[in-house]
Amino acid sequence: MTSRSGPTVFVIDDDIDVRASIQGLLRAAGLRSESFATAEEFLHNKELDGPGCLVLDVSLPGVSGMELQRKLTDAGVHIPIIFITGHGDIPMTVKAIKSGAVEFLTKPFVDQDLLNAIQQAFDRDRITRHQQGELAELRRRHESLTVRERQVMSLVVSGMLNKQVAFELGTSEITVKIQRGRVMAKMKAESLAELVRMAAKLDLPVSKK
């Protein structure tokens, strides 16, 4: 956590004293952090390509914390968010959590509660990045298949036998067996069940032709 390549906590709050207090706490805990006074400043200065989380004030001048959460989601950025606020209410909390927030803390909050939430956010971020990496690798493998191999894979994972696939594609059963073997090898699937799970993760349409 203390390495330069470790996760970063991005603190966004228009109150300079709050930012300084949170960064002091994070420093004492050995955590990296960067702070911003507004959502706009954050958006204009950060490329969110590394691990981390946001400690985000709900009430900000300009773009609010909730609006920033929506903007990041719309942009496909899934950084975990911990909301902090001086005047939270139950509906606001429910909305934030349903939209993916890790935690919603009301000021003044207990330091350990924030540190616990940050650790939870880091854990979530690590899991998400691992899943995204796995999916990217599956897509790379699928893209390595020929057009015919993709057709064979689609029909095989739909539950068709080799002879049925051969009939659908107008080819021989032997040819389908060879192509199926290539699909299994390229996708690095050790069983049909695993290939089906891969297709589900890729959200591939189950073709009949």
Side-chain angles (χ1 to χ4, degrees), residues 16-48:
I16 188 171
D17 292 330
V18 171
R19 295 200 306 273
S21 176
I22 292 176
Q23 284 197 282
L25 171 66
L26 298 177
R27 212 165 23 246
L31 299 175
R32 295 175 57 200
S33 68
E34 296 181 34
S35 70
F36 304 87
T38 66
E40 291 90 341
E41 182 185 344
F42 171 74
L43 290 170
H44 291 159
N45 287 279
K46 287 313 301 177
E47 290 284 339
L48 293 177

Side-chain angles (χ1 to χ4, degrees), residues 18 25 47 52 86 96 107 130 150 176-178 188 192 201 209:
V18 171
L25 171 66
E47 290 284 339
K107 302 173 186 176
H130 177 70
R150 291 181 193 180
V176 169
K177 285 182 179 179
I178 293 172
K188 298 184 179 179
L192 175 58
K201 287 180 180 179
K209 295 226 176 177

Side-chain angles (χ1 to χ4, degrees), residues 122-135:
F122 284 167
D123 290 343
R124 181 184 293 187
D125 189 55
R126 184 174 61 253
I127 291 170
T128 298
R129 287 176 180 278
H130 177 70
Q131 292 173 338
Q132 289 173 337
E134 283 190 332
L135 184 57

Side-chain angles (χ1 to χ4, degrees), residues 186-199:
K186 288 183 178 180
M187 293 300 296
K188 298 184 179 179
E190 296 183 359
S191 66
L192 175 58
E194 187 176 4
L195 189 66
V196 170
R197 286 192 292 270
M198 289 177 175

Side-chain angles (χ1 to χ4, degrees), residues 77-197:
V77 177
H78 303 293
I79 184 169
I81 296 176
I82 300 160
F83 278 110
I84 56 175
T85 180
H87 51 273
D89 55 38
I90 292 177
M92 186 185 294
T93 302
V94 171
K95 182 179 180 180
I97 298 299
K98 281 187 174 181
S99 297
V102 174
E103 187 58 274
F104 198 102
L105 301 175
T106 302
K107 302 173 186 176
F109 45 78
V110 177
D111 289 351
Q112 191 58 50
D113 288 345
L114 177 59
L115 292 175
N116 290 344
I118 288 171
Q119 186 57 60
Q120 183 181 345
F122 284 167
D123 290 343
R124 181 184 293 187
D125 189 55
R126 184 174 61 253
I127 291 170
T128 298
R129 287 176 180 278
H130 177 70
Q131 292 173 338
Q132 289 173 337
E134 283 190 332
L135 184 57
E137 173 60 18
L138 283 180
R139 285 176 177 153
R140 186 195 64 76
R141 294 177 194 173
H142 186 255
E143 288 169 0
S144 73
L145 302 179
T146 65
V147 173
R148 178 47 62 94
E149 286 167 352
R150 291 181 193 180
Q151 291 174 327
V152 169
M153 177 175 171
S154 179
L155 294 170
V156 166
V157 299
S158 75
M160 286 189 179
L161 300 174
N162 287 344
K163 62 181 179 181
Q164 294 172 314
V165 174
F167 177 79
E168 286 289 340
L169 298 179
T171 187
S172 69
E173 188 174 349
I174 292 295
T175 299
V176 169
K177 285 182 179 179
I178 293 172
Q179 291 167 337
R180 179 172 172 168
R182 289 174 181 163
V183 168
M184 298 291 285
K186 288 183 178 180
M187 293 300 296
K188 298 184 179 179
E190 296 183 359
S191 66
L192 175 58
E194 187 176 4
L195 189 66
V196 170
R197 286 192 292 270

Side-chain angles (χ1 to χ4, degrees), residues 39-84:
E40 291 90 341
E41 182 185 344
F42 171 74
L43 290 170
H44 291 159
N45 287 279
K46 287 313 301 177
E47 290 284 339
L48 293 177
D49 54 357
C53 71
L54 278 179
V55 174
L56 178 60
D57 188 22
V58 171
S59 301
L60 292 169
V63 177
S64 71
M66 302 288 280
E67 288 173 330
L68 177 58
Q69 181 187 37
R70 186 168 59 253
K71 283 178 178 290
L72 292 173
T73 299
D74 290 345
V77 177
H78 303 293
I79 184 169
I81 296 176
I82 300 160
F83 278 110
I84 56 175

